[in-house]
Amino acid sequence: KNTNVGLNSIPGIGVDLYNRLPQTPALKNLFYKFMHSWTKLSNHFLFNNIDFSTIKNMIDVGGGTGINAIELAKLYPNLRVTILEIPEVAALAKKNIETAELTNRVKVFPGNIFTDEYPTGHDCILFSHLLPDHVSGIDEIRSFNFIQKQSIPAYAHAWTLHEVTRRYPYIF
């Protein structure tokens, strides 16, 4: 059975970790500090191996605290980024974007990556981590192709891209 084995040990109600964490602020803060640090450690692999200079409008799915969006906007002055993230974390990202003085190019779209409609108008989707809950609904991304009537490049670390294409070969 496809279950979230450790979920019952996290206090609160909700079908996944992301809906339960906000009910325990200490756990939420610890989790997002970890994710921010982990992303920061791995960013150089992403930024040093992919040229984003032709991308104009990126959506960062599950963009967390905004660390990738902020760094990419600093590196690529013509890039606009939309972070799709749950409301509690979207508030953290918004503060970080304001601190970085990038509110004119980095926006936050509060929403659930599994149930809410994605904002449109992007020519790139960024998945910075291969978390099963981030890509298990990858079929929904195919709607971007139909809406925009073109394929959209997906960028990720080499290992993440390898695993996504291995697990979902019918999409790529």
Side-chain angles (χ1 to χ4, degrees), residues 85-141:
E85 187 55 81
I86 59 173
E88 293 81 9
V89 184
L92 295 172
K94 190 173 181 178
K95 285 180 188 175
N96 291 336
I97 294 162
E98 289 168 357
T99 300
E101 298 180 353
L102 287 167
T103 55
N104 61 329
R105 294 185 26 239
V106 181
K107 304 294 181 195
V108 180
F109 188 89
N112 184 310
I113 67 173
F114 307 112
T115 59
D116 292 340
E117 197 169 305
Y118 284 26
T120 59
H122 300 94
D123 55 356
C124 174
I125 301 169
L126 177 66
F127 290 103
S128 59
H129 300 286
L130 178 63
L131 299 175
D133 61 339
H134 277 64
V135 296
S136 292
I138 201 166
D139 288 320
E140 286 78 23
I141 291 172

Side-chain angles (χ1 to χ4, degrees), residues 2 129-139 159-172:
N2 185 15
H129 300 286
L130 178 63
L131 299 175
D133 61 339
H134 277 64
V135 296
S136 292
I138 201 166
D139 288 320
W159 183 85
T160 302
L161 200 52
H162 168 77
E163 281 300 304
V164 170
T165 55
R166 184 183 67 78
R167 294 179 189 191
Y168 307 98
Y170 58 92
I171 293 176
F172 298 96

